[in-house]
Amino acid sequence: MQNGTAAMNWTTGYFDIGNIQANQNYDPLAVYARLYNWLDELIGEGSFFSGAYTANTQITGTQYLGMASIPSYGYKVVVYIEESY
């Protein structure tokens, strides 16, 4: 469940994941974000959590995903939540 707002700061290259939590345990769990350009090329990646997750634990934080002279269009951030890594 996503609580709060996730946001990319296009000026600094940092992505704030907001607050993510689940109501059950996962082992393993990986939560990370990737920045892609308009050609779907990977620019950068940041990890927010990796390991055994305990139910209702909040995953929060900010990670640097990278900067590549980002214009006001053509880039996207994708958040991945995976039960394996």
Side-chain angles (χ1 to χ4, degrees):
M1 172 190 325
Q2 173 72 34
N3 298 316
T5 302
M8 178 69 176
N9 184 324
W10 297 109
T11 303
T12 65
Y14 281 87
F15 180 74
D16 185 338
I17 197 148
N19 179 338
I20 294 176
Q21 67 185 54
N23 61 2
Q24 64 186 35
N25 296 334
Y26 291 96
D27 188 14
L29 182 73
V31 179
Y32 58 98
R34 289 182 173 167
L35 173 65
Y36 295 93
N37 68 12
W38 68 96
L39 300 172
D40 271 343
E41 297 169 332
L42 181 63
I43 300 297
E45 177 179 45
S47 177
F48 294 93
F49 183 86
S50 181
Y53 174 81
T54 303
N56 299 314
T57 300
Q58 296 180 2
I59 298 172
T60 63
T62 302
Q63 290 289 322
Y64 181 74
L65 299 185
M67 294 294 292
S69 186
I70 294 174
S72 60
Y73 64 92
Y75 287 80
K76 66 182 176 183
V77 175
V78 179
V79 176
Y80 296 87
I81 302 171
E82 300 178 347
E83 290 186 61
S84 61
Y85 53 89

